[in-house]
């Protein structure tokens, strides 16, 4: 306020002591600072505990997933063990037939594939004549030919796999290219 305000009936402010704090305000500020420090420390401890719980839950989930996968793969391993045992067993000096071994290997392959399907893996099996798709196929060989449409699969070298929409491995294929 200036002198004109005082003349019009205003009141002048009480003079304040500059740089001098009252003892009550120092104690209140120190108390508030201590309270804020305690709240901060509790919040930090809560955040650290939440991080540790999340880490434990993630590790448990990973272990559960691995255990589930292993329990699905073990039957395929059992089939392989049986095939090996059958191949090494001799009856009256003869070896098991190739057909019996092939049947055992086919059963093992089916058991592995069934285990993978149960956990969400899909096999990519491109057929001859199927259009080449660079999103799921990897062209390892390109052959000029008039016998097939341009950019179609001629042969599959190795199957590919998807896991819940994510490509794990593209199928390795031979692709037809139109002659020049």
């Amino acid at each position: 306020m200036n002198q004109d305000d005082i003349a019009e009936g205003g009141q002048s402010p009480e003079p304040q002591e500059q740089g001098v704090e009252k003892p009550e305000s120092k104690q209140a500020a120190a108390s508030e600072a201590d309270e804020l420090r305690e709240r901060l420390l509790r919040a930090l401890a809560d955040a650290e505990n939440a991080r540790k719980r999340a880490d434990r839950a993630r590790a448990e989930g990973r272990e559960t997933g691995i255990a589930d996968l292993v329990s699905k793969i073990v039957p395929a391993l059992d089939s392989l063990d049986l095939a090996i045992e059958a191949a090494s067993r001799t009856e009256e000096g003869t070896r098991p037939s190739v057909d019996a071994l092939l049947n055992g290997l086919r059963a093992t392959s089916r058991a592995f594939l069934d285990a993978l399907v149960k956990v969400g893996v899909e096999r990519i099996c491109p057929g001859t004549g199927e259009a080449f798709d660079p999103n799921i196929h990897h062209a390892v060989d390109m052959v000029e030919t008039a016998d097939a449409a341009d950019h179609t699969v001629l042969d599959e070298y190795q199957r590919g796999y998807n896991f819940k929409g994510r490509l794990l491995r593209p199928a390795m294929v031979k692709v037809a290219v139109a002659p020049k």
Side-chain angles (χ1 to χ4, degrees):
M1 286 189 189
N2 60 29
Q3 290 294 345
D4 294 331
D5 291 335
I6 294 172
E8 292 178 18
Q11 297 184 1
S12 67
E14 293 187 24
Q16 293 184 358
E17 298 177 24
Q18 301 246 338
V20 177
E21 291 185 30
K22 295 183 180 177
E24 302 90 42
S25 65
K26 278 186 177 181
Q27 286 178 333
S31 175
E32 186 179 348
D34 287 343
E35 182 184 328
L36 289 173
R37 188 177 301 113
E38 287 298 317
R39 288 175 55 195
L40 174 64
L41 291 174
R42 274 194 298 277
L44 289 172
D46 288 346
E48 180 65 18
N49 289 337
R51 185 191 62 77
K52 287 178 182 177
R53 279 192 304 275
D55 288 346
R56 276 194 303 272
R58 211 174 6 260
E60 288 172 10
R62 193 175 309 120
E63 288 175 7
T64 300
I66 291 169
D68 187 44
L69 177 62
V70 168
S71 70
K72 288 175 177 53
I73 289 177
V74 165
L77 184 60
D78 292 340
S79 294
L80 275 176
D81 290 340
L82 289 173
I84 290 168
E85 184 181 325
S88 53
R89 200 178 319 133
T90 59
E91 292 182 19
E92 301 175 20
T94 62
R95 294 289 225 186
S97 73
V98 171
D99 289 338
L101 286 175
L102 282 174
N103 287 337
L105 290 173
R106 285 185 185 114
T108 303
S109 178
R110 273 192 308 276
F112 267 118
L113 186 57
D114 289 347
L116 292 173
V117 166
K118 286 178 185 175
V119 297
V121 175
E122 297 173 358
R123 203 177 223 184
I124 301 170
C125 304
T128 301
E130 182 179 320
F132 174 76
D133 181 354
N135 296 311
I136 58 172
H137 300 143
H138 177 75
V140 293
D141 194 9
M142 299 185 85
V143 178
E144 287 187 18
T145 181
D147 296 336
D150 192 34
H151 289 91
T152 57
V153 174
L154 291 175
D155 197 8
E156 171 193 305
Y157 294 132
Q158 189 176 54
R159 292 183 177 158
Y161 294 91
N162 276 323
F163 176 66
K164 297 185 178 183
R166 188 173 115 204
L167 184 65
L168 297 176
R169 183 179 77 194
M172 306 271 188
V173 295
K174 180 194 300 186
V175 179
V177 178
K180 294 178 185 178

